[in-house]
Amino acid sequence: MKVLTVVGARPQFIKASAISRVLRKRHQEVLLHTGQHYDDNLSGVFFKELEIPEPDYHLGVGSSSHGAQTGAMLSKIEAVLMVEKPDWVLVYGDTNSTLAGALAAAKLHLSLAHVESGLRSYNRQMPEEINRVLTDHVSSLLLCPSQTAVRNLAREGITTGVHEVGDVMADALLYASGKSSRQSEILSRLGLKPRGFLLVTVHRAENTEDTSRLAAIIGALKTLADDEPVVFPVHPRTRKALESLGLMNTDSNRAFEGDNLKLTAPVGYLDMVMLEQSARIILTDSGGIQKEAYWLGRPCITLRDETEWTETVEAKWNVLVGSNAARIKEAVRSFALPTSKPSWCEHPGAASRCIALMEAGR
């Protein structure tokens, strides 16, 4: 079986690492990197740490508007598919790389498998929501992490080729957490103590492209840093937004007064896992980090108005606060750890189940 895997962004590298480790034992994988994330801290370091083979194709598309970026990817992916003629095209998640790979496969009538299918925020203002909905509607094999995802697809009339397989990110986290404990030195490098800091990530367009939302989040972080260290690895998109607001100097990570707000460049996956499992509370707008926080048993405050991972909210390990500064500060100061943590999407071997379904052709 020949599988062409399309990746382009940091979360996809994590998911692909789990499947590639199993897939390559029995089958041929052709790895295509669109270049959507091209900064070494968002791309190269992940390939090294997660032991992902070098891409067979690197399209080098880079940053652009959604239409221009997706169009460039679509054209280039189509050309590769016409040469490689794979048995399956495999896409992950909800990025522009996902949608471009899905459309290219569908138009060439190639079998398409979508990992992390069925997620819905029901907010069509999010580009990610458009990407995931369209990808699901052209996929042959819909690989869902949970029953919630399966039900979401059924509500849209999609029932053929739908399978609950668990979450491949749980496989990847299990693999990385052991390496992280042995190799990461980020706590000592930043002078941090376990449970003695807050961890923040902000990268979604709804927060970085809306100046009022971003300013409110930053205002809350400045106040919280008066009480405890706040570690903030800054995504390139977020850095540009902060610079445009005059909140961050291009040549410095010292954006605010005081040493307790620690801005860093993006960190590798092993360092990120160490920060996540060591933080007192995680504040994020990332879907993947919401899941990892839950699996690692760390409280999560989500800087969005809705989430695809509703189960983490229902279990009270995750709270939605949007960008409201008062709600952010109150959530950090009053978050009470739940007394239990139900098992969720943690079915070891999700990657193997995905591959078995492709082998079966269903």
Side-chain angles (χ1 to χ4, degrees):
M1 183 172 71
K2 183 178 184 179
V3 178
L4 188 139
T5 299
V6 178
V7 296
R10 173 178 175 150
Q12 294 165 335
F13 308 147
I14 298 168
K15 296 163 196 164
S17 71
I19 288 187
S20 289
R21 269 191 296 275
V22 181
L23 178 64
R24 290 180 180 240
K25 292 177 181 178
R26 301 197 297 271
H27 302 290
Q28 178 186 1
E29 181 182 36
V30 178
L31 187 59
L32 183 153
H33 185 343
T34 65
Q36 181 173 339
H37 278 177
Y38 50 88
D39 184 289
D40 191 60
N41 289 326
L42 294 176
S43 178
V45 67
F46 279 69
F47 278 74
K48 299 183 190 80
E49 291 182 347
L50 294 172
E51 300 173 17
I52 305 171
E54 284 296 310
D56 299 283
Y57 295 91
H58 197 303
L59 305 186
V61 171
S63 296
S64 189
S65 67
H66 286 288
Q69 186 183 63
T70 307
M73 290 176 185
L74 176 57
S75 174
K76 293 183 178 184
I77 293 171
E78 180 183 62
V80 173
L81 293 181
M82 292 174 71
V83 170
E84 293 290 344
K85 298 180 174 61
D87 298 300
W88 284 94
V89 177
L90 180 61
V91 297
Y92 295 87
D94 56 17
T95 71
N96 289 342
S97 297
T98 310
L99 179 59
L103 291 176
K107 287 178 178 292
L108 292 173
H109 308 292
L110 295 170
S111 296
L112 174 68
H114 182 202
V115 172
E116 213 173 68
S117 181
L119 302 188
R120 297 293 183 268
S121 68
Y122 296 102
N123 176 3
R124 292 292 180 94
Q125 296 301 308
M126 292 176 59
E128 295 88 352
E129 183 79 352
I130 302 298
N131 292 342
R132 62 174 73 106
V133 169
L134 294 176
T135 298
D136 282 340
H137 279 264
V138 298
S139 292
S140 317
L141 188 59
L142 299 102
L143 302 164
C144 300
S146 67
Q147 267 300 307
T148 299
V150 172
R151 288 193 294 269
N152 289 341
L153 292 173
R155 280 194 288 268
E156 296 174 18
I158 304 175
T159 56
T160 302
V162 175
H163 301 269
E164 181 187 2
V165 295
D167 200 313
V168 297
M169 277 193 78
D171 288 3
L173 183 63
L174 180 65
Y175 175 81
S177 57
K179 291 187 69 175
S180 175
S181 62
R182 296 190 301 272
Q183 297 181 23
S184 176
E185 299 177 350
I186 195 162
L187 296 186
S188 59
R189 193 161 71 243
L190 296 180
L192 301 170
K193 296 180 179 179
R195 306 294 183 266
F197 65 95
L198 306 177
L199 174 64
V200 179
T201 76
V202 179
H203 78 280
R204 287 195 181 268
E206 64 196 86
N207 286 327
T208 59
E209 294 178 5
D210 185 325
T211 56
S212 62
R213 288 181 68 96
L214 185 58
I217 291 169
I218 296 303
L221 298 182
K222 290 172 67 176
T223 301
L224 292 170
D226 291 337
D227 300 323
E228 60 188 318
V230 176
V231 179
F232 186 0
V234 182
H235 188 283
R237 173 194 289 166
T238 311
R239 175 181 285 272
K240 289 180 182 178
L242 291 172
E243 289 171 357
S244 70
L245 287 173
L247 294 173
M248 188 170 188
N249 188 296
T250 307
D251 302 318
S252 173
N253 282 331
R254 293 294 302 277
F256 314 105
E257 292 299 321
D259 294 326
N260 257 7
L261 188 51
K262 300 174 183 290
L263 278 72
T264 75
V267 300
Y269 188 52
L270 300 185
D271 281 345
M272 194 64 188
V273 169
M274 178 57 70
L275 288 172
E276 288 175 20
Q277 63 190 12
S278 302
R280 185 174 76 82
I281 295 176
I282 297 170
L283 298 92
T284 188
D285 60 8
S286 161
I289 291 176
Q290 289 176 61
K291 292 188 294 181
E292 290 171 343
Y294 186 85
W295 293 327
L296 293 168
R298 303 316 312 139
C300 184
I301 294 170
T302 295
L303 306 171
R304 292 171 52 193
D305 299 314
E306 66 285 307
T307 181
E308 306 77 43
W309 304 108
T310 55
E311 296 93 339
T312 63
V313 177
E314 292 163 2
K316 302 188 186 304
W317 282 86
N318 187 5
V319 60
L320 301 174
V321 297
S323 61
N324 184 284
R327 290 176 63 195
I328 294 169
K329 291 183 285 188
E330 176 59 24
V332 168
R333 290 166 177 164
S334 65
F335 204 120
L337 280 175
T339 56
S340 64
K341 186 173 74 67
S343 178
W344 169 71
C345 291
E346 298 160 83
H347 315 302
S352 295
R353 284 188 286 279
C354 292
I355 294 164
L357 288 164
M358 286 190 285
E359 288 172 335
R362 57 189 178 90

